Amino acid sequence: MLRQYELVERVKTYEPGADEEALNRAYVFTMRAHGTQKRASGDPYFSHPVEVAGLLSEKRLDSASIITGLLHDTVEDTETTVEQIDQMFGTEVSGLVDGVTKLSQLELQSDRTKQAENFRKLVLAMSQDIRVLVVKLADRLHNMRTLHFIKSAEKRRRIARETMDIYVPLTERIGIRDWKEELEDLAFQELNPDARASIIKRLDFLRETGGDLIGRVRARLADLLSEGEVAAEVSGREKSPYSIWRKMQRQNVGFEQLSDIMAFRVVVEDIDDCYRALGLIHGAYSSVPGRFKDYISLPKPNGYRSLHTGVIGPENQRIEIQIRTREMHEIAELGVAAHWRYKDADGPASAPQTEGTQYKWLRELLEILENAAGPEDFLEHTKMEMFSDQVFVFTPKGDLFALPRGSTPVDFAYAVHTDIGDRCTAARINGRIMPLRTQLRNGDQVEVVTSKAQTPSPSWESFVVTGKARACIRRFVRSQQREQYLKLGREIVERIFAQAQYELTEKALKGVLKRFRAESVDDLYVAVGEGRHTGRDLLYAVYPGAREQLQPTRKGKAKSAPSDAPAGREDRAGSVPLRGLIPNMAVHYAKCCHPLPGDRIVGIVTTGKGVTIHTVDCPTLESFSDMPERWLDVGWEAGAEEHSSFVGRVKAVLSNEPGALAALTSVIGRDGGNITNLKFTDRSEDFFDLLVDVEVTDVRQLSNIVAALRASPLVNSVERAQSG
Ligand code: MN
C-alpha cells in the first residue's frame, strides 16, 4: 500500500504547488473514518481509497482529485457527511465526493446489454465534472483488481458484466488506454475464464515455437527505419487476450489460424516522420488490404491520433503497426488529462475535427482543454455539459430510457409504447403519484398507470416535449375530430339533398371530388362538417338545376331557406313579415341576438342602413338607450313563420367525448332544425363551446330544440346566443 509521504511526494512532482497539508489531512481522515472496516481481501478498508488515490496520481490528476480519491467512500460507507467534508476540505472537494457517491449508488438494474449505452450516458450525465468520472474509474479499477476476493460468484459476475458494458467503454472514451485494457482483461477473466485461458495457452505455444518473435520483428523494423533516416522508437507487444478473442469472434477463426497477435508501435518526432515511416514500411512489406487507417487526418472521437496499418511482416506473420508522434502517444496513454500539456505544442492541429460524431461532448471537452491555462485551470473548469440536454429514467423493471430534458411521464409513456401513451391516466414517480405534467429528473423511476377507457387528451400537447408523444396526441385528436365532422357533414348534406328532393348517391359525390379537391367522399363530408363548404355547394355542384328548386319564391313550411348565412336575409327585405316598418326600408336581423318569429322585438334605425331588428332583451340595445329617436316599435305579422325560415343561434357546451357532436346534430335534426353553420369558440380538456346556427321557422321551434338539447346527457349547457 502506498504510504502517506509517498503519495504526497508523487503529487508534488507534477503539481509543485499542491496543498500538502490538505493531502495529509485527507489521508489521516479516511484512515480514521474507515477505522476497523475490512475489505473482502481481509485488508483494512482504507487501503482501498489509498490505492485509488495512487492510481489517480499515476495519471497526474490534480490534488483535489487525489483528495477525492482518498475520501470517495467515506460518505457512502461511514458516518461522514458531505457537510463535514465541505467544512474540512472546501466545496470543490465536497462537490466531487458527492458526485462520486451518487455515481456509486447507481446500479445497473437491468443486465440487458441494450441498456448499457443509456446507462453509460447516465453515468456521464451525473458526472458533471470529469474528475468525478476519473475517480469513479480508478475506484472501479481497484475493485476489479481485488474482485477475486469476493465470495459470491453471482456478485463477481454482475460487477464484471457492468465493468465490461459500462466502464470499459467510458474509460476508452476518455482515452485512458492502459486502464481500459486492464479493466477489460479483468472482466474477461471473470466472464469467460475458459476462453481467456485457451488464448493465453495458445500465445505461450506460439512463443515457445517461434522464440522471441516480437523481439526479432521489432529489431528489423527499427533497422528499416534508421536506414531510411527516420528517428523512431519501436516497441512491440502481444495483443491482449480479450482483443484477440473479439477478433476471433468477429472473423470466426479458430486458434490454429490465430497468427495476427502482435502489435508494434513506432513513435517518431513529428507528423512528417509518421508518413515517412509509413512509406518505408509499406515499401518493404506487403500491406494487408483494408487495414490502413489515417487517424491523424481524421482523429477518433476521443481525440486519438495515429496511423494504423497491417502488413505481412519480416517473419511472414501478419502484424499490426501504429505510427504516432510522442505527443499523440502521451495523449493515447493518458487520455484527456494529457491534453493541457500540449496546449501550445502545435496549435489547432491538436484539436480533433471529427464531424458528425455522436461524441459531441468530448469535442467540447477537448475545446475546453485546449483553452485552459494549466492543469488546475483545466480541471476546475471542466464542468462537463455532456448529455445535459437529456434525462435518464428507469422503468419499474429497471430498463433505462433516455429522453430529452423537460420530458414528462406522458413522454415517457409514449417512449415505452404508443398504447401505453394513449392509455396513461397517471404516473408514479419514485413510488408517488405525480401529475402527468411533472418534469422527470435523472434516475427517476417512473411507473405509468394505464386504463383501457383512457384516451389521449388534447391538453397533453401543451406539456409534452418529445416528437413522438406530440405526434401521437395530434393524430388521435385529429382522428376523433374528423369522426365528428364526418358525421355532422354527412347529416348536413343528407338533409339538403332531401330538402331539394334529389337523390344523394355516393356515385354522384364521387363525380365532384376533384372540384372540391377532396380525396374521398368522406373527405367531402368532413369539409362540409368543418364548414369549408356548405351542403348547398355540394348540391349545386352535383345538380346544377337544384338552384331553382330552392329559390325563396317557393314559399312553404320552412325548409326553403334561401341561404345558409343570416346575412343573406338582406336580399329579402321586401318580403319581411314585420309590421310597424316604413315601406321599402331595408331590414336586417341583428347577428347578436338572431330574432325569431315569436320573439318580442324592437327595431333600431341605423343611418344609411335601414332598420336592424333585435330581441327586446338583447344586450346590444343598451348602447342605444340614450337615443330614443332611433327606436322603432315593430312586431311580427301574424303567420310570419309562413313567410320564410329564420336562423337562430344557440350557444352550447358539450362534453369533450366521442359522439357528443353527433348527439347534438341528431337532436337538432329530430326537431326539424337545419344546421347552417357551426363554430367552435373554445376547447378545453373536458368541454368545448360552440355556436350553432339553426334554420327554424320561429322561436317555438328553437325553444323546442334548446329543451331537447338540455335533455341530452352529452350536452352540458345550451342557450340562445345573445351576442355573436
Ligand atoms: Mn470505492
Coordinates of all heavy atoms in Angstrom, one line a residue, residues 26-80:
A26 N -6.4 14.6 4.5 CA -7.3 13.6 3.9 C -6.9 12.2 4.1 O -7.8 11.3 4.4 CB -7.4 13.9 2.4
Y27 N -5.6 12.0 4.1 CA -5.1 10.6 4.3 C -5.5 10.1 5.7 O -6.0 9.0 5.9 CB -3.6 10.6 4.1 CG -3.0 9.2 3.9 CD1 -2.6 8.8 2.7 CD2 -2.7 8.4 5.0 CE1 -2.0 7.5 2.5 CE2 -2.2 7.1 4.8 CZ -1.8 6.7 3.6 OH -1.2 5.5 3.4
V28 N -5.2 11.0 6.6 CA -5.5 10.6 8.0 C -7.0 10.5 8.3 O -7.5 9.6 8.9 CB -4.9 11.7 9.0 CG1 -5.3 11.4 10.4 CG2 -3.3 11.7 8.9
F29 N -7.7 11.4 7.7 CA -9.2 11.4 7.8 C -9.8 10.1 7.4 O -10.6 9.5 8.1 CB -9.8 12.6 7.1 CG -11.3 12.7 7.3 CD1 -11.8 13.4 8.4 CD2 -12.2 12.1 6.4 CE1 -13.2 13.5 8.6 CE2 -13.6 12.2 6.6 CZ -14.1 12.9 7.7
T30 N -9.4 9.6 6.2 CA -10.0 8.4 5.6 C -9.6 7.2 6.5 O -10.4 6.3 6.7 CB -9.7 8.2 4.1 OG1 -10.6 7.3 3.6 CG2 -8.3 7.7 3.9
M31 N -8.4 7.2 6.9 CA -7.9 6.1 7.8 C -8.8 6.0 9.0 O -9.2 4.9 9.4 CB -6.5 6.3 8.1 CG -5.7 5.1 8.6 SD -4.0 5.3 8.3 CE -3.5 6.4 9.6
R32 N -9.0 7.2 9.7 CA -9.8 7.2 10.9 C -11.3 6.8 10.6 O -11.9 6.1 11.3 CB -9.8 8.6 11.6 CG -8.4 8.9 12.1 CD -8.5 9.8 13.4 NE -7.2 10.0 13.9 CZ -6.6 11.2 14.0 NH1 -7.3 12.3 13.7 NH2 -5.4 11.3 14.5
A33 N -11.8 7.4 9.5 CA -13.2 7.2 9.2 C -13.6 5.8 8.9 O -14.5 5.2 9.4 CB -13.6 8.1 8.0
H34 N -12.7 5.1 8.2 CA -13.0 3.7 7.9 C -12.6 2.8 9.0 O -13.0 1.6 9.1 CB -12.3 3.3 6.6 CG -12.9 3.9 5.4 ND1 -14.1 3.6 4.9 CD2 -12.4 4.8 4.5 CE1 -14.4 4.3 3.8 NE2 -13.4 5.1 3.5
G35 N -11.8 3.3 9.9 CA -11.5 2.6 11.2 C -11.1 1.2 11.0 O -10.2 0.9 10.2
T36 N -11.9 0.3 11.6 CA -11.6 -1.1 11.5 C -12.3 -1.9 10.4 O -12.2 -3.1 10.3 CB -11.9 -1.8 12.9 OG1 -13.3 -1.6 13.1 CG2 -11.1 -1.2 14.0
Q37 N -13.0 -1.1 9.5 CA -13.6 -1.8 8.4 C -12.6 -2.6 7.6 O -11.5 -2.2 7.4 CB -14.3 -0.8 7.5 CG -15.5 -0.1 8.1 CD -16.1 1.0 7.2 OE1 -15.4 1.4 6.2 NE2 -17.2 1.5 7.5
K38 N -13.1 -3.7 7.1 CA -12.2 -4.6 6.3 C -12.7 -4.8 4.9 O -13.9 -4.8 4.7 CB -12.1 -6.0 7.0 CG -11.4 -6.0 8.3 CD -9.9 -6.4 8.1 CE -9.2 -6.8 9.4 NZ -9.1 -5.6 10.3
R39 N -11.8 -5.0 4.0 CA -12.2 -5.4 2.6 C -12.4 -6.9 2.6 O -12.1 -7.6 3.5 CB -11.0 -5.0 1.7 CG -10.7 -3.6 1.6 CD -11.5 -2.8 0.5 NE -11.1 -3.2 -0.8 CZ -11.8 -2.9 -1.9 NH1 -12.9 -2.2 -1.8 NH2 -11.4 -3.3 -3.1
A40 N -13.0 -7.3 1.5 CA -13.2 -8.8 1.3 C -11.9 -9.5 1.3 O -11.8 -10.7 1.7 CB -13.9 -9.0 0.0
S41 N -10.8 -8.8 1.0 CA -9.5 -9.4 1.0 C -9.0 -9.6 2.4 O -7.9 -10.3 2.6 CB -8.5 -8.6 0.2 OG -8.4 -7.3 0.8
G42 N -9.6 -9.0 3.4 CA -9.1 -9.0 4.7 C -8.2 -7.8 5.0 O -7.9 -7.5 6.2
D43 N -7.9 -7.0 4.0 CA -7.1 -5.8 4.2 C -7.9 -4.8 4.9 O -9.2 -4.8 4.8 CB -6.7 -5.2 2.9 CG -5.6 -6.0 2.2 OD1 -4.9 -6.8 2.9 OD2 -5.4 -5.9 1.0
P44 N -7.3 -3.9 5.7 CA -8.1 -2.8 6.2 C -8.7 -2.0 5.1 O -8.1 -1.8 4.0 CB -7.0 -1.9 6.9 CG -5.7 -2.4 6.5 CD -5.9 -3.8 6.0
Y45 N -9.9 -1.5 5.3 CA -10.7 -0.9 4.2 C -9.9 0.3 3.6 O -10.0 0.5 2.4 CB -12.1 -0.4 4.7 CG -13.0 -0.1 3.5 CD1 -13.8 -1.0 3.0 CD2 -12.9 1.2 2.9 CE1 -14.6 -0.7 1.9 CE2 -13.6 1.5 1.8 CZ -14.5 0.5 1.3 OH -15.2 0.8 0.2
F46 N -9.3 1.1 4.5 CA -8.7 2.3 4.0 C -7.6 2.1 3.0 O -7.2 3.0 2.3 CB -8.3 3.3 5.1 CG -6.9 2.9 5.8 CD1 -5.7 3.4 5.3 CD2 -6.9 2.0 6.8 CE1 -4.5 3.1 5.8 CE2 -5.7 1.7 7.4 CZ -4.5 2.2 6.9
S47 N -7.1 0.9 2.8 CA -6.1 0.6 1.8 C -6.7 0.9 0.4 O -6.1 1.3 -0.5 CB -5.6 -0.9 1.8 OG -6.7 -1.7 1.6
H48 N -8.1 0.7 0.3 CA -8.7 0.9 -1.0 C -8.7 2.3 -1.4 O -8.2 2.6 -2.5 CB -10.2 0.3 -0.9 CG -11.1 0.8 -2.0 ND1 -10.9 0.4 -3.3 CD2 -12.2 1.6 -2.0 CE1 -11.8 0.9 -4.1 NE2 -12.6 1.7 -3.3
P49 N -9.2 3.3 -0.6 CA -9.1 4.7 -1.1 C -7.7 5.1 -1.3 O -7.4 5.9 -2.2 CB -9.8 5.5 0.1 CG -10.0 4.5 1.2 CD -10.0 3.1 0.6
V50 N -6.8 4.6 -0.5 CA -5.4 5.0 -0.7 C -4.9 4.5 -2.1 O -4.2 5.2 -2.8 CB -4.5 4.5 0.4 CG1 -3.0 4.7 0.1 CG2 -4.8 5.2 1.7
E51 N -5.2 3.3 -2.5 CA -4.8 2.7 -3.8 C -5.5 3.6 -4.9 O -4.9 3.8 -5.9 CB -5.2 1.3 -3.9 CG -4.5 0.3 -3.0 CD -3.0 0.3 -3.3 OE1 -2.5 0.6 -4.4 OE2 -2.2 -0.1 -2.4
V52 N -6.7 3.9 -4.7 CA -7.4 4.7 -5.7 C -6.7 6.0 -5.9 O -6.4 6.5 -7.0 CB -8.9 4.9 -5.3 CG1 -9.6 6.0 -6.2 CG2 -9.7 3.6 -5.3
A53 N -6.3 6.7 -4.8 CA -5.6 7.9 -4.9 C -4.3 7.7 -5.6 O -3.8 8.5 -6.4 CB -5.3 8.5 -3.5
G54 N -3.6 6.6 -5.3 CA -2.4 6.2 -6.0 C -2.6 6.1 -7.5 O -1.8 6.7 -8.3
L55 N -3.6 5.4 -7.9 CA -3.9 5.3 -9.4 C -4.1 6.7 -10.0 O -3.6 6.9 -11.1 CB -5.2 4.5 -9.6 CG -5.1 3.0 -9.4 CD1 -6.4 2.3 -9.3 CD2 -4.2 2.4 -10.5
L56 N -4.8 7.5 -9.3 CA -5.1 8.9 -9.8 C -3.8 9.7 -10.0 O -3.6 10.4 -10.9 CB -6.1 9.6 -8.9 CG -7.5 9.0 -8.9 CD1 -8.3 9.6 -7.8 CD2 -8.2 9.3 -10.2
S57 N -2.9 9.5 -9.0 CA -1.6 10.2 -9.1 C -0.8 9.7 -10.2 O 0.0 10.5 -10.8 CB -0.9 10.1 -7.7 OG -0.4 8.8 -7.5
E58 N -0.9 8.4 -10.6 CA -0.2 7.9 -11.8 C -0.6 8.7 -13.0 O 0.1 8.8 -13.9 CB -0.5 6.4 -12.0 CG 0.3 5.5 -11.0 CD -0.2 4.1 -11.1 OE1 -0.8 3.7 -12.1 OE2 0.0 3.3 -10.1
K59 N -1.9 9.1 -13.0 CA -2.4 9.8 -14.2 C -2.2 11.3 -14.0 O -2.8 12.1 -14.7 CB -3.9 9.5 -14.4 CG -4.1 8.0 -14.8 CD -3.4 7.7 -16.1 CE -3.5 6.2 -16.4 NZ -2.4 5.7 -17.2
R60 N -1.5 11.7 -12.9 CA -1.2 13.1 -12.7 C -2.4 14.0 -12.5 O -2.5 15.1 -13.1 CB -0.3 13.7 -13.8 CG 1.1 13.0 -13.9 CD 1.8 13.5 -15.1 NE 2.2 12.4 -16.0 CZ 2.7 12.6 -17.2 NH1 2.8 13.8 -17.7 NH2 3.0 11.6 -18.0
L61 N -3.4 13.5 -11.8 CA -4.6 14.3 -11.5 C -4.3 15.3 -10.5 O -3.4 15.1 -9.6 CB -5.8 13.5 -11.2 CG -6.6 13.2 -12.5 CD1 -6.1 11.9 -13.2 CD2 -8.1 13.3 -12.3
D62 N -5.0 16.4 -10.4 CA -4.8 17.5 -9.5 C -5.1 17.0 -8.1 O -5.7 16.0 -7.8 CB -5.6 18.7 -9.9 CG -7.1 18.5 -9.6 OD1 -7.5 17.3 -9.7 OD2 -7.8 19.5 -9.4
S63 N -4.6 17.8 -7.1 CA -4.7 17.4 -5.7 C -6.1 17.3 -5.2 O -6.4 16.4 -4.4 CB -3.9 18.3 -4.8 OG -4.2 19.7 -5.1
A64 N -7.0 18.1 -5.8 CA -8.4 18.0 -5.4 C -9.0 16.6 -5.8 O -9.7 15.9 -5.0 CB -9.3 19.0 -6.1
S65 N -8.5 16.1 -6.9 CA -8.9 14.7 -7.3 C -8.3 13.6 -6.4 O -9.0 12.7 -6.1 CB -8.5 14.4 -8.8 OG -9.0 15.4 -9.6
I66 N -7.1 13.9 -6.1 CA -6.4 12.9 -5.2 C -7.1 12.8 -3.8 O -7.4 11.8 -3.3 CB -4.9 13.3 -5.0 CG1 -4.2 13.5 -6.3 CG2 -4.2 12.3 -4.1 CD1 -4.0 12.3 -7.2
I67 N -7.4 14.0 -3.3 CA -8.1 14.1 -2.0 C -9.5 13.4 -2.2 O -9.9 12.6 -1.3 CB -8.3 15.5 -1.5 CG1 -6.9 16.1 -1.2 CG2 -9.2 15.6 -0.3 CD1 -6.8 17.6 -0.9
T68 N -10.2 13.6 -3.3 CA -11.4 13.0 -3.5 C -11.3 11.5 -3.6 O -12.1 10.7 -3.0 CB -12.0 13.5 -4.9 OG1 -12.2 14.9 -4.8 CG2 -13.4 12.9 -5.1
G69 N -10.2 11.0 -4.2 CA -9.9 9.6 -4.2 C -9.8 9.0 -2.8 O -10.3 8.0 -2.5
L70 N -9.1 9.8 -1.9 CA -8.9 9.3 -0.6 C -10.3 9.3 0.2 O -10.5 8.4 1.0 CB -8.0 10.3 0.2 CG -6.5 10.1 -0.2 CD1 -5.7 11.3 0.4 CD2 -5.9 8.8 0.2
L71 N -11.1 10.3 -0.1 CA -12.4 10.4 0.7 C -13.6 9.7 0.0 O -14.7 9.7 0.6 CB -12.7 11.9 0.9 CG -11.6 12.7 1.6 CD1 -12.1 14.2 1.6 CD2 -11.4 12.2 3.0
H72 N -13.4 9.1 -1.2 CA -14.5 8.8 -2.0 C -15.5 7.8 -1.4 O -16.7 7.9 -1.8 CB -14.1 8.3 -3.4 CG -13.7 6.8 -3.4 ND1 -12.4 6.3 -3.1 CD2 -14.5 5.7 -3.7 CE1 -12.4 5.0 -3.2 NE2 -13.6 4.6 -3.5
D73 N -15.1 7.0 -0.4 CA -16.1 6.1 0.2 C -16.6 6.5 1.6 O -17.4 5.8 2.2 CB -15.5 4.7 0.2 CG -15.7 3.9 -1.1 OD1 -16.7 4.2 -1.8 OD2 -14.9 3.0 -1.4
T74 N -16.1 7.6 2.0 CA -16.4 8.0 3.4 C -17.9 8.3 3.6 O -18.5 7.9 4.6 CB -15.6 9.2 3.9 OG1 -15.8 10.3 3.0 CG2 -14.1 8.8 4.0
V75 N -18.5 9.0 2.6 CA -19.9 9.4 2.8 C -20.8 8.1 2.6 O -21.7 7.9 3.4 CB -20.3 10.5 1.8 CG1 -21.8 10.7 1.8 CG2 -19.5 11.7 2.0
E76 N -20.4 7.3 1.7 CA -21.2 6.1 1.4 C -21.1 5.1 2.6 O -22.1 4.4 3.0 CB -20.7 5.5 0.1 CG -21.3 4.1 -0.2 CD -22.2 4.1 -1.4 OE1 -21.8 4.6 -2.4 OE2 -23.3 3.5 -1.3
D77 N -19.9 4.9 3.1 CA -19.6 3.7 4.0 C -19.4 4.1 5.4 O -19.2 3.2 6.2 CB -18.5 2.9 3.4 CG -18.8 2.3 2.1 OD1 -20.0 2.1 1.8 OD2 -17.8 2.0 1.4
T78 N -19.3 5.4 5.7 CA -19.0 5.7 7.1 C -20.0 6.8 7.6 O -20.9 7.1 6.8 CB -17.6 6.3 7.3 OG1 -17.5 7.6 6.9 CG2 -16.5 5.4 6.6
E79 N -19.8 7.3 8.8 CA -20.8 8.3 9.4 C -20.6 9.6 8.8 O -21.4 10.5 9.0 CB -20.6 8.4 10.9 CG -20.7 7.1 11.6 CD -22.2 6.6 11.7 OE1 -22.9 7.3 12.4 OE2 -22.5 5.7 11.0
T80 N -19.5 9.8 8.0 CA -19.2 11.1 7.5 C -20.3 11.7 6.6 O -20.9 11.0 5.8 CB -17.9 11.0 6.6 OG1 -16.9 10.3 7.4 CG2 -17.3 12.4 6.3

